Amino acid sequence: MKKIYYLFGFFLMFCFHCKKANLCNPADIESQCGILNLAFQKPISFGPPKKPQCSPCRMFVSATSYNANLQGISGADVKCSIDPNKPADGIYKALLVDDVNRRACTSANCSVGGITEQIDWVVAPNISYYSLNTSALIFTSDLNGVFTGSFATTMSAPTGIWTGIKNNPSWDWQTDTSHTCTSWSDNVSANCGTYGVTSWQDSRAIAITSAYGNGGTLNNILCIEQ
């Protein structure tokens, strides 16, 4: 009998030190803590795309020309940031695509998916872009962050600019994946990169039709303020 009392006493002592089990399931919205969890969880943001720091924004053609080994997209961005034409203020990136690290569109003028088609694209939707040198308006982007009209004026004195944009007869903004000079690391291959010529005011300013630059060709970079 004493053994039973001892066991009962031990059981009571053990239970006094027990913590109440937490049977609340946060995923159960009918339980108290489930409702609290639902009330205090962070909302998912479906807001508009992030606006650039500049508005309006500026653009310039690099003072320095380069062969197609730009050390990739990031290397081209660095070249924009240290170019003699860059002002003291502002962040500038290269209008240059390789379809992996930077992309404008996967459909013509982003007509299918809009800005969801883009990767680290440098032109923001519905922003006016001005020449840094002349302060003249060049273009105002559309809601997809591209442009399909005629530039208000030329970007600069005639020079070639590496872009990687598909050179269709009209505006397209898709990457010419066969002509990015191996993601802008090749200064040897012939006809490896697409380029534009800044003296044009139509799509040829970004991508010359039916012409490609050799890897060793010296072209400039179009730098866009962010």
Side-chain angles (χ1 to χ4, degrees):
M1 192 69 177
K2 288 184 178 180
K3 185 180 291 187
I4 294 174
Y5 285 136
Y6 286 140
L7 290 173
F8 182 72
F10 178 79
F11 176 77
L12 289 176
M13 289 178 62
F14 179 81
C15 287
F16 280 130
H17 290 283
C18 290
K19 292 183 178 179
K20 185 178 180 180
N22 182 8
L23 301 178
C24 177
N25 179 9
D28 181 5
I29 62 172
E30 294 184 357
S31 69
Q32 183 178 7
C33 69
I35 293 171
L36 289 173
N37 183 68
L38 185 65
F40 289 105
Q41 67 180 346
K42 293 182 179 179
I44 300 172
S45 175
F46 293 100
K50 184 179 179 181
K51 289 287 186 181
Q53 296 181 16
C54 56
S55 182
C57 298
R58 299 167 293 178
M59 54 195 291
F60 68 86
V61 174
S62 64
T64 307
S65 57
Y66 303 92
N67 61 45
N69 183 5
L70 299 168
Q71 298 179 312
I73 298 294
S74 60
D77 288 346
V78 169
K79 290 171 175 57
C80 282
S81 70
I82 62 174
D83 192 81
N85 283 346
K86 181 193 175 295
D89 62 323
I91 298 171
Y92 288 79
K93 290 186 175 183
L95 193 150
L96 185 77
V97 298
D98 64 1
D99 216 47
V100 175
N101 300 288
R102 181 163 296 153
R103 180 173 67 211
C105 300
T106 56
S107 62
N109 305 313
C110 298
S111 57
V112 176
I115 61 172
T116 64
E117 299 180 11
Q118 298 168 356
I119 300 173
D120 192 30
W121 182 228
V122 297
V123 178
N126 302 314
I127 296 291
S128 294
Y129 289 85
Y130 289 80
S131 167
L132 178 65
N133 298 327
T134 66
S135 299
L137 173 68
I138 304 298
F139 68 90
T140 299
S141 60
D142 63 18
L143 57 82
N144 291 329
V146 294
F147 180 76
T148 57
S150 295
F151 286 168
T153 187
T154 56
M155 290 186 287
S156 72
T159 189
I161 52 170
W162 293 117
T163 65
I165 300 293
K166 187 180 291 186
N167 54 6
N168 282 345
S170 58
W171 293 102
D172 188 294
W173 293 104
Q174 296 178 84
T175 304
D176 187 339
T177 54
S178 299
H179 294 95
T180 63
C181 294
T182 316
S183 293
W184 307 108
S185 64
D186 180 357
N187 62 350
V188 176
S189 299
N191 301 319
C192 68
T194 63
Y195 66 97
V197 175
T198 58
S199 57
W200 293 100
Q201 290 176 243
D202 56 22
S203 63
R204 290 170 290 184
I206 300 299
I208 288 293
T209 306
S210 301
Y212 303 102
N214 297 328
T217 301
L218 297 180
N219 280 321
N220 297 71
I221 303 172
L222 179 59
C223 302
I224 308 292
E225 188 176 16
Q226 302 301 291

